[in-house]
Amino acid sequence: MRASSLLINTTRERPAEAELTSHALMLRAGMLRQLASGIFSWLPLGLRTVRRIEQIVREEMNRAGAAEIMMPAVQPAELWQESGRWQIYGPELLRLEDRHGRAYCVGPTHEEVVTDIARACVRSWRQLPCNLYQIQTKFRDEVRPRFGVMRSREFVMKDAYSFDADAAGAKRSYQIMRDAYVRIFDRIGLDYRVVEADVGAIGGSFSEEFLALADCGEAVIGYTDGDYATNLEQVPCSPPAAAQRPDPGEKMEEFATPGVATIDELDQFVGGIDPGRSIKTMIVTGEAGSAALILPGNAELSLAKASRLEQVGFGAALAEDDFVRKTVGAGFGSLGPVGMSLPVIADASLASAADFFCGANRDGYHLRGVNFGRDLPEPRFADLRMAVAGEVAPDGRPLKLRRGIEVGQIFNLGTKYSQAMAARIEGDDNVLRPMVMGCYGIGITRIVAAAIEQFNDEAGIVFPESIAPFIVAVLPLGKSPEVMQAAESLYAALNESGIDCLLEDRGLRAGAAFADLDLLGIPHRLVVSERSLAAGKVEHKARHTGAVSMLEMADAPAQVRAMLAAKKP
Ligand code: ATP
Ligand code: MG
């Protein structure tokens, strides 16, 4: 294609609204444009990269035996009521009503719709296994849309759903998809890890995430030098050494702590508290109810672990301010387990805590000298905290941490949806049983951002050939008709040989044209100038190494093709 027809608008300055390099580069390169918070239009260059990712995903899905379908974006509430998710999927679900007052949502995911298809269309166990996928726009009303398309409200996802007659079949389907995911991310060229993950709001029994390594990632991987790698939220904390809990040594007393709202402020106010003697209290709410969770002041709560508590249930989140005030009578900064009306569950590391500090459930007051069993009932203990670097991981090695961007997640769902929605199949023994499902997501548009996070330098994006908007750019320098003519023929020859080629025909000054091509990240650049033409040559520059060489003009398409082939595994 010709640069003049692609609405290329590049900018030199980093846009103020972009926190991440990838977002800044995408805006500077004119790949996309924000329409509203978390809602974007893809412009020609950006969309080409999206399409290339889709193509890789589509090829690998087809190769794995999945069949492409297209489900509607708008879904009737009844289906979600059947699965039970209408009630529990929180404010992320965009709900709407039609003119007849019927309720709908804009699909954040498609388990309900696909299960409805399967219960109608799968008539016999002979049609199983069956795997259906689509590449489609999702909507999730994210609390904090940010980082451009990394966490947007509207985004493109590839979602696949497998149906099997039994658990063994479902396990095979899961493995086939897992292998396909590995091929997809290898082909794109991302540096990624596969980690065991929380099943979250999708549900099911087992799940893994594909995380592209990047410091800006929101997911943290807990891993070791062995094979161990798990989403940090899930890393079990080693049980504390069985220390004897000392007898209470102090009497409980309340003291005024004006303006103290955090553990650090309390520590300063009191003049230093031994670690392990200050306790923080967090009220969380999930599908099953609310509870007060207590942790060491310096520990971080894992909401994934909280979701596993029977008192809380899945979807655990910190309770709203209003709820806390109504239930406890104090704000977040003054909460404590003494006299708490909600169930109190303590992190396992607190089992030997005595004479501790905590909030008094009265604004501006704390308690000291608090002891389990004397000042409050003996709590239930559970693993609630996030593991930290250096502690012993389940494989016995020291835990290390690294950040990643979730680009895909796969789930073994079991019969959660097929049971609720009666998607059953008769086996060869004539007994009706719910089909066993799996679901498999890839964030197509998020991958664009994740890839740019990994592939960039000071001059701009350094796309791998796998997902570049164009493989080669031909740039004629100067205004001579011969140069233009030669560039046009080269452009035609490259296209003819099946190489996606951009002709930089905007008549920019050399410096501006070079800068733009560097920013856009096109892997190969061919410059036609009067001087090179006189020698029958064209200058080649590789974007990722910066290496420059002169190619015979007539031979250039073949040489570029050879460079591309040389990189293929
Ligand atoms: P996250 O934890 O990042 O919110 P998720 O676990 O809710 O993601 P899934 O339901 O597993 O997401 O969706 C499948 C894939 O869709 C994710 O792995 C991710 O790549 C992509 N995705 C999810 N939410 C967004 C979003 N808000 N913006 C862009 N991509 C998204
Ligand atoms: Mg996920």
Side-chain angles (χ1 to χ4, degrees):
M1 293 202 71
R2 290 161 192 276
S4 57
S5 62
L6 290 173
L7 276 183
I8 301 177
N9 285 306
T10 56
T11 50
R12 297 279 156 254
E13 295 78 44
R14 188 182 168 115
E17 76 259 37
E19 284 176 67
L20 293 191
T21 305
S22 55
H23 188 200
L25 287 173
M26 289 170 85
L27 292 174
R28 283 187 50 208
M31 292 172 68
L32 47 73
R33 191 182 143 73
Q34 179 165 323
L35 178 65
S37 166
I39 302 182
F40 296 85
S41 298
W42 286 93
L43 299 179
L45 275 173
L47 186 63
R48 289 181 69 91
T49 288
V50 172
R51 292 283 184 251
R52 296 210 58 203
I53 295 169
E54 288 179 0
Q55 190 53 27
I56 293 174
V57 170
R58 191 172 269 123
E59 282 170 19
E60 293 301 339
M61 285 296 113
N62 293 347
R63 191 210 301 225
E68 187 165 7
I69 58 172
M70 177 80 117
M71 292 183 268
V74 174
Q75 310 179 9
E78 288 80 28
L79 277 186
W80 286 69
Q81 279 151 357
E82 252 189 88
S83 73
R85 283 206 293 186
W86 188 254
Q87 306 304 332
I88 56 185
Y89 217 104
E92 258 186 37
L93 190 64
L94 181 65
R95 296 160 207 252
L96 36 116
E97 268 189 12
D98 71 4
R99 63 171 79 201
H100 307 293
R102 291 192 198 104
Y104 293 83
C105 65
V106 183
T109 176
H110 278 69
E111 283 79 11
E112 282 80 0
V113 182
V114 80
T115 306
D116 179 63
I117 292 175
R119 71 180 164 189
C121 302
V122 180
R123 303 276 171 74
S124 151
W125 56 271
R126 289 181 192 83
Q127 289 169 287
L128 299 180
C130 166
N131 190 327
L132 302 172
Y133 80 96
Q134 64 172 350
I135 296 177
Q136 192 245 19
T137 300
K138 301 280 188 267
F139 193 95
R140 294 183 183 178
D141 203 351
E142 299 274 355
V143 216
R144 272 218 296 160
R146 60 194 182 136
F147 303 158
V149 293
M150 195 80 93
R151 182 166 297 286
S152 49
R153 294 198 295 166
E154 195 177 291
F155 58 96
V156 178
M157 194 201 287
K158 183 287 299 177
D159 43 331
Y161 306 87
S162 64
F163 296 87
D164 276 273
D166 54 27
K171 216 170 152 191
R172 277 194 297 275
S173 294
Y174 181 96
Q175 189 59 41
I176 290 171
M177 278 293 112
R178 191 186 193 278
D179 294 345
Y181 273 47
V182 166
R183 277 199 300 273
I184 288 166
F185 294 116
D186 285 350
R187 277 182 65 180
I188 293 172
L190 286 176
D191 185 10
Y192 69 97
R193 297 288 179 280
V194 191
V195 304
E196 204 180 305
D198 181 35
V199 293
I202 306 279
S205 53
F206 182 71
S207 173
E208 286 168 297
E209 280 168 346
F210 289 72
L211 303 175
L213 300 180
D215 291 340
C216 68
E218 292 178 292
V220 184
I221 308 171
Y223 70 101
T224 67
D225 291 335
D227 282 340
Y228 186 78
T230 299
N231 190 311
L232 180 63
E233 295 195 319
Q234 298 276 102
V235 176
C237 295
S238 33
Q244 190 70 35
R245 183 191 296 165
D247 287 335
E250 297 171 11
K251 75 180 203 324
M252 180 172 86
E253 58 184 12
E254 189 180 73
F255 61 109
T257 48
V260 169
T262 67
I263 290 288
D264 285 347
E265 286 164 6
L266 179 66
D267 186 66
Q268 282 201 350
F269 185 87
V270 178
I273 306 174
D274 295 341
R277 284 190 57 211
S278 73
I279 278 180
K280 66 176 169 197
T281 306
M282 302 170 94
I283 312 281
V284 299
T285 304
E287 192 193 337
S290 299
L293 308 184
I294 60 176
L295 291 100
N298 58 0
E300 205 184 325
L301 172 68
S302 158
L303 286 170
K305 292 180 179 177
S307 294
R308 284 200 233 117
L309 298 169
E310 65 187 53
Q311 295 86 342
V312 178
F314 85 66
L318 291 186
E320 304 279 333
D321 197 25
D322 286 0
F323 175 82
V324 171
R325 249 185 207 286
K326 232 175 37 218
T327 320
V328 185
F332 288 118
S334 306
L335 301 178
V338 178
M340 174 60 68
S341 58
L342 297 169
V344 175
I345 300 153
D347 183 61
S349 63
L350 292 175
S352 56
D355 297 327
F356 53 82
F357 290 79
C358 61
N361 293 332
R362 184 173 161 208
D363 286 331
Y365 288 87
H366 280 78
L367 298 172
R368 58 153 56 102
V370 181
N371 285 275
F372 294 129
R374 183 190 73 181
D375 307 316
L376 69 156
E378 191 66 28
R380 221 198 101 195
F381 292 95
D383 177 14
L384 300 177
R385 70 180 175 88
M386 213 82 98
V388 294
E391 74 182 85
V392 181
D395 70 353
R397 297 167 189 258
L399 189 71
K400 298 183 171 186
L401 306 184
R402 217 164 161 183
R403 292 192 158 268
I405 300 163
E406 183 191 321
V407 285
Q409 186 167 12
I410 56 181
F411 297 80
N412 190 331
L413 285 177
T415 55
K416 178 176 150 103
Y417 295 90
S418 49
Q419 184 89 49
M421 295 179 62
R424 290 181 300 216
I425 193 81
E426 211 169 84
D428 47 3
D429 56 0
N430 297 333
V431 179
L432 272 178
R433 292 190 191 83
M435 290 183 264
V436 187
M437 293 174 58
C439 77
Y440 317 92
I442 287 188
I444 302 279
T445 41
R446 181 181 283 181
I447 288 176
V448 182
I452 295 174
E453 263 327 303
Q454 290 190 352
F455 306 122
N456 70 77
D457 62 15
E458 315 75 62
I461 304 168
V462 189
F463 272 121
E465 280 149 13
S466 58
I467 60 168
F470 293 95
I471 304 291
V472 185
V474 173
L475 169 63
L477 281 189
K479 298 227 158 51
S480 119
E482 290 75 28
V483 165
M484 273 320 289
Q485 177 83 60
E488 287 275 358
S489 337
L490 183 57
Y491 167 65
L494 283 159
N495 275 326
E496 222 154 88
S497 70
I499 296 171
D500 255 337
C501 182
L502 175 76
L503 179 65
E504 178 46 271
D505 63 343
R506 292 179 297 163
L508 301 179
R509 283 180 302 101
F514 289 150
D516 266 11
L517 291 180
D518 280 348
L519 175 60
L520 303 183
I522 298 174
H524 299 272
R525 179 166 96 192
L526 293 173
V527 182
V528 185
S529 64
E530 272 180 55
R531 194 138 58 97
S532 73
L533 194 57
K537 296 197 183 232
V538 55
E539 184 196 89
H540 170 265
K541 184 171 174 195
R543 175 68 178 91
H544 72 289
T545 59
V548 176
S549 57
M550 298 305 288
L551 310 181
E552 290 297 329
M553 180 66 105
D555 206 25
Q559 295 228 24
V560 171
R561 243 200 337 264
M563 291 179 212
L564 299 180
K567 289 240 197 72
K568 295 264 151 63

